[in-house]
Amino acid sequence: MHKPLALQCTSLNFRGFQYAQAMLFTIEEINNSTDLLPGISLGYKIYDSCGSIARSVRVALVLANGNEIVSAPSEATCTRPAQVQTIIGETSSSPCMAIATVIGPFQMPLISHFATCACLSDKTKYPSFLRTIPSDYYQSRALAQLVKHFGWTWVGAIRTNDDYGNNGMVTFTETAEQLGICLEYSVSFFRTDPSDKIKKIIDIIKASTSKVIVAFLSHMDMDVLIHEFSHHNLTGYQWVGSEGWIFDSQTAAMDRHHILDGAIGLSIPKAHVSGLRAFMMNVKPLNSSNNEMFTEFWETLFNCKFKQSKSPADKQTDCTGHEDLTGVQNSFTDMSLMPIFNNVYKGVYAVAHALHSILSCNKTCNNRVQLDPFTILQHIKSIHFQTKEGDEVYFNENGDPAAKYEIINWQPGTNELVDFVTVGLHDASLPADKQLNLQNKSLIWAQKSQQVPVSVCSEKCPPGTRKVLQKGKPVCCYDCIPCAEGEISNTTDSITCVRCLPEFWSNKRRDACIKKEAVFLSYEEIMGALLTAASLFGTCMTVVVAFIFFRYRKTPIVRANNCELSFLLLFSLTLCFLCSLTFIGRPSEWSCMLRHTAFGITFVLCLSCVLGKTMVVLMAFRASLPGSNVMKWFGPTQQRLSVLAFTLIQVVICILWLTISPPFPFKNFKEFKDKIIFECALGSAAGFWAVLGYIGLLALLCFILAFLARKLPDNFNEAKFITFSMLIFCAVWITFIPAYVSSPGKFSVAVEIFAILASTFGLLICIFIPKCYIILMKPEKNTKKNMMEKGATKCT
């Protein structure tokens, strides 16, 4: 059994050395100040954790207990036991979590300048942790907003497999889902992972279709990843980076194959601490204090070897300790991490201001106050001051500062270097719609393109379509389905189609509702014009016949068959022709009531006259028989009363119909999808069929009586013509019923008008045209000898 070897630091990390230098600079500035902690000098102890969590915890316990081995110059005197009141560090989130867990019960403040994990804001777990860098909770949300701003909804994600990467990616994923962004893949790795695991990640990226990679990585993990991407020649991806690497000049220097060209991401806002650069460059005083670190630092910086050094023999050049630092270009002389140095600066000043308050410093400080970590922690939480550069320093209830970021874009600079160009700002303290502010600067994208890359699983659905998710795929992968008839979508990427209002219909592109075509039988269209012409022609024809009858009213053929009823019949036929016009045009409340009632009453008047004429013929024949006196019961007065009685019955039916449930204008949306049929609803169907039924009853009675009188022995027997006219009338209206019921829209109106005109023409032609023919063309037959004289009434 052997005891495990202790952890050993293998090399000097220039960044860690820079952070230590920043702390030393701040302490010296405070100690030289006459305004802050006058008469009080701050001391410090520096430990190298070598990036190890175990070593960090061990150091934290040593600092908390005060049991470390003290090695101080012999002339140094201490008036009280050495005890650390506050810890400045660590750089990474995972070590900070471990340290904060250990020292939390002691309430010892731990102020980090670069640990960004949102988990550290949990004060129940880490009550004494504070930081001068914003929480990743805000950075992750800002990254998601940035991705959304450029329309990237289909992205890949890579994270460091530690608390920083895992917790940051959790928040990013949650925010991305809320913003409609989908992750095609989300993989994690650590720089010490075996090559086969990194190879699997490379294969996943190669097989992906997304062109944007969100990298929540530390700069050390990004360096490893760049090497792998270069080895597999993977270029052309648009990188979106966290503050862990996006502003790191060392990472940019390693990108010799331009893998990260055009990268965009969030960085801590630029800062300047006056005097800090000069202090860092002036490292020679370290040599005068016999600091062991100086030897290692100087040998690493100039790749040389002191004679008494134990460094490897591969360094052939001898160090003098007086080498010129001005011409050196490496990560130590690079001041690009000044924002992080500023965080160290603000953290040390926060402790100083807290001590200034505790010691009640004015011109002097009260040295008798017993300091303890808990009191210092409470005062640090409540401090609020401005640095000499004008930066405000304070902590919220979670120990976090205000979250502000610069948006950095990698653009090609001179000598193959990268320029970190600030192209915008993100301020989490502003309302959500104003947090992201991109400046009017031209951005450079992957492969030095000027066009914003496109990274979507499916192209946007244009207006007129809706999104339908693809089975088994994320919500960003969908098909665009055209909206159904009568539905529209007038926005891009609509998830539903909206049905148009009943009076509207979708256009061909399905992106707008247009007014439905109004369908009714109008005078302007051909069918309406022809029916109107037929109606007017029939009216004129009737007037001509009436004029002929009036002109020849003294002739036997006119006098032979009750000329009074003939003129009344001609008048009713004229009304029948004209009433068909009420069916043409846009239906209105009055036209709907007028068309059916006028039709019903005029046709009953017409049929009553025909029925009267038929009965006159029959009665005249019966009167010619010996001993018959029936004509006295059916004289002119009785004929007028019969016509009036038959007509009044129809008038009563129509009045009841209009009173109970009259016809009314109605918009029919069901017959055609894309048209509105303007029609007259019947109101009471019983009223409509009662009107038609009564007309049919009179027509049937006329037909029977005329049929019985068709063979009476007269030279001119009008009953034959009435029989034929009634045959036409009945045939037309029997045919009308199924045609009317089955005809859609305006065609049903046309069928009704046609039935009216056909039956009216049938009556006019069959009853009157033969007489007109004799009057005009065969006047020799227009004599008493050829006429039936019995039963005839005289026209005066």
Side-chain angles (χ1 to χ4, degrees):
M1 300 291 291
H2 298 281
K3 182 180 178 180
L5 295 175
L7 289 171
Q8 298 292 328
C9 298
T10 59
S11 62
L12 179 68
N13 186 299
F14 279 139
R15 282 198 178 89
F17 191 80
Q18 284 179 315
Y19 299 147
Q21 288 286 86
M23 187 186 78
L24 292 177
F25 167 80
T26 311
I27 291 175
E28 286 192 15
E29 187 175 272
I30 294 170
N31 289 342
N32 293 329
S33 172
T34 57
D35 297 327
L36 190 62
L37 293 175
I40 299 293
S41 294
L42 297 178
Y44 59 88
K45 295 179 180 181
I46 299 177
Y47 287 87
D48 189 357
S49 65
C50 298
S52 167
I53 296 177
R55 193 178 180 96
S56 298
V57 173
R58 181 183 177 186
V59 170
L61 288 172
V62 168
L63 293 174
N65 294 327
N67 292 331
E68 76 279 13
I69 299 174
V70 178
S71 59
S74 58
E75 66 273 10
T77 58
C78 295
T79 59
R80 63 180 64 185
Q83 184 180 4
V84 173
Q85 304 294 337
T86 304
I87 299 175
I88 303 295
E90 252 263 12
T91 303
S92 302
S93 296
S94 294
C96 280
M97 293 170 65
I99 296 172
T101 302
V102 170
I103 67 172
F106 303 106
Q107 297 294 315
M108 179 179 286
L110 171 65
I111 305 177
S112 174
H113 51 279
F114 211 20
T116 58
C117 180
C119 55
L120 287 164
S121 298
D122 187 352
K123 296 299 105 178
T124 60
K125 292 183 178 180
Y126 314 107
S128 65
F129 177 82
L130 304 103
R131 53 186 160 194
T132 52
I133 190 169
S135 164
D136 278 339
Y137 171 79
Y138 302 102
Q139 181 181 199
S140 300
R141 296 173 66 85
L143 282 175
Q145 292 176 20
L146 187 65
V147 169
K148 181 64 176 179
H149 175 81
F150 292 112
W152 301 324
T153 58
W154 187 239
V155 301
I158 305 177
R159 65 188 185 277
T160 298
N161 192 14
D162 61 6
D163 296 292
Y164 166 71
N166 292 331
N167 284 279
M169 190 54 67
V170 166
T171 305
F172 173 83
T173 303
E174 291 174 352
T175 309
E177 288 180 358
Q178 296 170 6
L179 296 177
I181 301 168
C182 299
L183 269 63
E184 184 179 11
Y185 58 86
S186 180
V187 293
S188 65
F189 85 102
F190 199 70
R191 53 187 173 275
T192 57
D193 285 342
S195 58
D196 59 334
K197 182 175 181 180
I198 299 178
K199 177 64 168 55
K200 288 181 181 178
I201 294 174
I202 297 296
D203 291 339
I204 291 173
I205 296 173
K206 281 183 177 180
S208 67
T209 57
S210 57
K211 295 300 180 183
V212 174
I213 301 176
V214 178
F216 223 99
L217 300 168
S218 68
H219 68 91
M220 292 176 286
D221 294 295
M222 178 53 82
D223 294 345
V224 174
L225 196 63
I226 289 175
H227 176 74
E228 291 296 326
F229 266 67
S230 301
H231 179 69
H232 291 87
N233 195 27
L234 280 178
T235 59
Y237 290 94
Q238 177 61 47
W239 291 85
V240 180
S242 62
E243 38 60 51
W245 65 270
I246 196 67
F247 202 68
D248 194 286
S249 57
Q250 183 175 327
T251 301
M254 289 192 62
D255 185 21
R256 298 184 183 90
H257 291 79
H258 302 283
I259 304 296
L260 302 177
D261 276 358
I264 191 170
L266 302 179
S267 173
I268 306 304
K270 292 186 180 69
H272 175 70
V273 181
S274 56
L276 179 56
R277 178 182 175 85
F279 179 86
M280 285 191 176
M281 294 296 103
N282 187 24
V283 293
K284 289 185 180 180
L286 291 173
N287 189 24
S288 62
S289 61
N290 296 319
N291 194 324
E292 293 181 4
M293 184 182 294
F294 175 80
T295 300
E296 184 180 1
F297 165 72
W298 203 259
E299 289 179 343
T300 305
L301 186 63
F302 292 102
N303 194 27
C304 61
K305 180 181 180 296
F306 286 102
K307 291 181 179 180
Q308 72 277 15
S309 174
K310 298 178 182 179
S311 60
D314 58 339
K315 297 178 179 180
Q316 301 298 329
T317 308
D318 291 332
C319 294
T320 63
H322 299 286
E323 283 79 5
D324 185 11
L325 191 62
T326 57
V328 176
Q329 293 289 335
N330 59 21
S331 59
F332 176 75
T333 60
D334 176 33
M335 292 292 115
S336 64
L337 292 182
M338 186 63 77
I340 311 303
F341 304 154
N342 186 46
N343 287 344
V344 177
Y345 182 82
K346 290 189 288 187
V348 176
Y349 259 95
V351 177
H353 276 274
L355 291 173
H356 189 89
S357 175
I358 295 170
L359 299 176
S360 304
C361 297
N362 190 2
K363 292 184 179 180
T364 60
C365 296
N366 184 2
N367 292 329
R368 297 179 182 179
V369 176
Q370 184 66 40
L371 296 174
D372 66 276
F374 178 75
T375 303
I376 296 175
L377 175 63
Q378 298 308 311
H379 279 77
I380 292 176
K381 288 181 177 179
S382 61
I383 58 99
H384 195 146
F385 66 93
Q386 276 191 344
T387 66
K388 64 182 180 181
E389 309 296 343
D391 292 336
E392 279 193 278
V393 180
Y394 62 91
F395 301 99
N396 63 15
E397 66 276 7
N398 295 323
D400 298 329
K404 294 182 180 180
Y405 301 95
E406 288 184 357
I407 301 172
I408 302 297
N409 182 216
W410 285 32
Q411 298 190 5
T414 56
N415 299 324
E416 293 294 319
L417 298 178
V418 172
D419 285 343
F420 301 112
V421 180
T422 300
V423 294
L425 298 171
H426 187 279
D427 189 348
S429 63
L430 298 176
D433 58 335
K434 297 181 180 179
Q435 292 178 357
L436 186 63
N437 179 25
L438 284 170
Q439 300 168 0
N440 293 326
K441 292 185 178 180
S442 58
L443 280 78
I444 302 298
W445 304 103
Q447 296 182 323
K448 300 180 181 180
S449 171
Q450 301 289 331
Q451 299 295 323
V452 180
V454 176
S455 186
V456 294
C457 183
S458 299
E459 293 294 333
K460 291 184 177 182
C461 288
T465 63
R466 62 183 177 90
K467 297 198 299 187
V468 177
L469 298 182
Q470 295 178 0
K471 188 175 182 181
K473 290 189 177 182
V475 294
C476 298
C477 300
Y478 48 81
D479 295 317
C480 299
I481 305 299
C483 292
E485 289 184 340
E487 295 181 348
I488 66 159
S489 65
N490 53 10
T491 58
T492 302
D493 277 346
S494 176
I495 59 174
T496 58
C497 293
V498 180
R499 180 162 289 280
C500 295
L501 294 174
E503 293 191 12
F504 293 85
W505 192 249
S506 55
N507 59 2
K508 290 183 178 180
R509 294 191 302 272
R510 305 284 197 272
D511 59 358
C513 288
I514 56 176
K515 196 87 172 176
K516 285 184 178 179
E517 180 187 352
V519 177
F520 58 89
L521 189 61
S522 66
Y523 294 100
E524 288 79 12
E525 58 183 300
I526 295 177
M527 184 166 57
L530 290 175
L531 292 174
T532 302
S535 174
L536 295 176
F537 176 74
T539 304
C540 294
M541 187 175 175
T542 307
V543 171
V544 170
V545 171
F547 175 77
I548 293 172
F549 265 56
F550 182 78
R551 174 73 176 78
Y552 296 97
R553 65 185 181 278
K554 300 294 185 180
T555 60
I557 197 169
V558 177
R559 294 167 57 90
N561 239 302
N562 200 331
C563 64
E564 185 174 308
L565 286 181
S566 295
F567 282 113
L568 186 59
L569 176 58
L570 287 169
F571 174 72
S572 65
L573 289 174
T574 303
L575 295 180
C576 287
F577 279 120
L578 292 176
C579 81
S580 63
L581 297 177
T582 61
F583 288 82
I584 303 175
R586 182 188 290 266
S588 65
E589 187 175 349
W590 285 104
S591 68
C592 285
M593 290 189 292
L594 178 64
R595 63 173 58 173
H596 289 103
T597 52
F599 154 69
I601 293 171
T602 55
F603 261 78
V604 165
L605 178 61
C606 177
L607 291 175
S608 298
C609 293
V610 174
L611 183 61
K613 290 174 71 65
T614 307
M615 293 177 66
V616 166
V617 173
L618 285 174
M619 294 304 105
F621 176 74
R622 295 294 298 270
S624 63
L625 298 176
S628 176
N629 59 351
V630 294
M631 281 303 295
K632 71 176 182 178
W633 299 107
F634 204 73
T637 303
Q638 288 80 3
Q639 294 173 26
R640 298 187 189 101
L641 289 176
S642 66
V643 171
L644 179 63
F646 286 134
T647 306
L648 282 178
I649 294 174
Q650 184 74 307
V651 170
V652 171
I653 294 174
C654 289
I655 291 174
L656 290 175
W657 184 13
L658 296 178
T659 303
I660 297 172
S661 181
F664 59 90
F666 171 69
K667 295 178 180 179
N668 186 347
F669 300 106
K670 297 180 179 180
E671 198 71 41
F672 296 102
K673 294 179 180 179
D674 56 344
K675 297 177 182 178
I676 303 176
I677 301 176
F678 286 81
E679 58 186 27
C680 288
L682 296 176
S684 172
F688 175 72
W689 291 112
V691 168
L692 281 186
Y694 184 62
I695 293 174
L697 178 64
L698 290 182
L700 181 62
L701 184 59
C702 286
F703 176 75
I704 293 173
L705 293 178
F707 183 78
L708 294 175
R710 74 190 187 284
K711 292 185 179 180
L712 294 180
D714 301 302
N715 289 340
F716 186 81
N717 186 359
E718 194 175 26
K720 295 178 182 178
F721 302 108
I722 293 176
T723 302
F724 191 64
S725 66
M726 286 299 103
L727 187 62
I728 295 174
F729 186 92
C730 292
V732 167
W733 285 101
I734 290 173
T735 308
F736 159 77
I737 294 175
Y740 178 82
V741 172
S742 61
S743 297
K746 63 182 179 181
F747 296 102
S748 63
V749 178
V751 167
E752 192 167 358
I753 295 174
F754 180 79
I756 293 172
L757 293 177
S759 55
T760 307
F761 272 113
L763 289 172
L764 178 65
I765 292 172
C766 291
I767 295 176
F768 291 100
I769 294 303
K771 296 178 182 179
C772 291
Y773 176 75
I774 292 176
I775 292 172
L776 299 175
M777 307 303 293
K778 300 288 185 179
E780 68 276 7
K781 292 185 178 181
N782 191 5
T783 60
K784 283 187 178 183
K785 184 177 180 181
N786 291 319
M787 296 297 111
M788 179 177 60
E789 295 179 353
K790 295 180 180 181
T793 59
K794 295 182 179 180
C795 287
T796 58

